[in-house]
Amino acid sequence: KGEDLAQICDFSDEEALKELKECEFLIACDVDNPLYGQKGAAYVYAPQKGANGRMVKQLDDGLKHFASLVKEKNGTKFHTQKGAGAAGGLGFAFVAFLGAKLKPGIEIITQTIALEDEIKKADLVITGEGRMDFQSTMGKTPTGVAKLAKRHHKPVIALAGSVQRCAKDCHKHGIDAYFCILNEPMSLEEAMRKDNALRNLKMTAEQVIRLYMLNRKA
């Protein structure tokens, strides 16, 4: 449990598989949060899971304590590395104990599917995710796609299930405009239904393209 991190006094890796030292690990990581601090795993992600202020501080203190133990034990200091706070600190564990390399998942995928080659041929780039907020600028797919598109001066539109006020920072990361696909009041359960989501996505996408084409005619 996260609350137990602060109680750890020592640890040993003597029983770890020896074969692990012969392996190389490339970890797809979609966020660039450090392990702890105001932008760390606890402060950014714990409130999304229901943690209150007291719990967040307790979890953050535990992560800080564990990082100090790892530094003393292994002589390594990876808590400030981008992605160390991913998955509740799992990014830190991969690097500290497996010598893994963290790389944005969007970079791994785009290289594998040669996305940049397709973007070069495109007139308009459309991307999106479930919810656009301040995390969208932290190495996630929409801004990763936008970064590639801007290398070739392509306009970028993002579609999302919901859009938070803080999503405006996405404009600074290559997304020219974003749109929420919800067209009428509905519950989260209704919005998550595949048929509703598809209908809402089609309706919004059509209007976005109509606006785009209107601008091209002007």
Side-chain angles (χ1 to χ4, degrees):
K1 296 180 180 180
E3 62 186 359
D4 295 328
L5 283 174
Q7 308 303 318
I8 298 176
C9 298
D10 196 8
F11 64 87
S12 172
D13 60 358
E14 293 181 358
E15 297 185 12
L17 293 174
K18 296 179 180 180
E19 290 80 1
L20 290 175
K21 295 182 179 180
E22 302 173 6
C23 300
E24 294 183 1
F25 295 89
L26 175 62
I27 308 299
C29 183
D30 290 334
V31 297
D32 57 11
N33 307 78
L35 181 63
Y36 58 80
Q38 291 299 312
K39 293 185 178 181
Y43 277 95
V44 174
Y45 302 113
Q48 300 175 6
K49 313 303 180 185
N52 58 33
R54 179 187 61 79
M55 294 175 181
V56 168
K57 186 178 185 307
Q58 182 181 27
L59 290 169
D60 192 64
D61 288 343
L63 291 169
K64 187 182 300 184
H65 170 72
F66 185 66
S68 67
L69 283 181
V70 173
K71 181 181 178 181
E72 293 176 8
K73 191 81 171 181
N74 297 347
T76 55
K77 182 181 178 181
F78 297 111
H79 65 271
T80 59
Q81 181 169 329
K82 290 184 177 181
L90 193 56
F92 172 78
F94 277 128
V95 175
F97 297 109
L98 297 177
K101 178 180 179 181
L102 302 181
K103 190 172 182 178
I106 183 63
E107 290 186 16
I108 296 175
I109 294 173
T110 53
Q111 289 174 7
T112 301
I113 66 174
L115 180 61
E116 189 167 4
D117 291 338
E118 298 300 321
I119 286 177
K120 290 178 183 178
K121 298 180 287 185
D123 294 313
L124 172 67
V125 176
I126 300 178
T127 183
E129 64 177 335
R131 182 177 77 176
M132 296 198 69
D133 54 24
F134 70 96
Q135 295 180 59
S136 299
T137 65
M138 297 179 176
K140 286 197 169 184
T141 297
T143 49
V145 171
K147 181 179 179 180
L148 284 180
K150 290 310 173 183
R151 288 180 186 174
H152 306 284
H153 311 289
K154 306 294 185 178
V156 181
I157 301 294
L159 303 177
S162 68
V163 175
Q164 302 295 302
R165 290 183 180 180
C166 50
K168 63 183 180 180
D169 284 344
C170 291
H171 294 315
K172 301 175 184 177
H173 293 264
I175 295 178
D176 297 297
Y178 50 74
F179 299 85
C180 175
I181 67 170
L182 293 182
N183 298 291
E184 58 183 316
M186 63 178 63
S187 66
L188 177 60
E189 290 72 19
E190 290 176 312
M192 292 290 287
R193 279 177 47 188
K194 186 176 180 178
D195 57 338
N196 286 336
L198 184 59
R199 184 182 66 252
N200 289 336
L201 184 60
K202 285 182 176 180
M203 289 178 62
T204 306
E206 179 183 351
Q207 298 310 310
V208 167
I209 295 301
R210 285 180 176 274
L211 184 62
Y212 172 75
M213 294 305 296
L214 183 64
N215 181 63
R216 286 176 66 88
K217 293 177 181 179

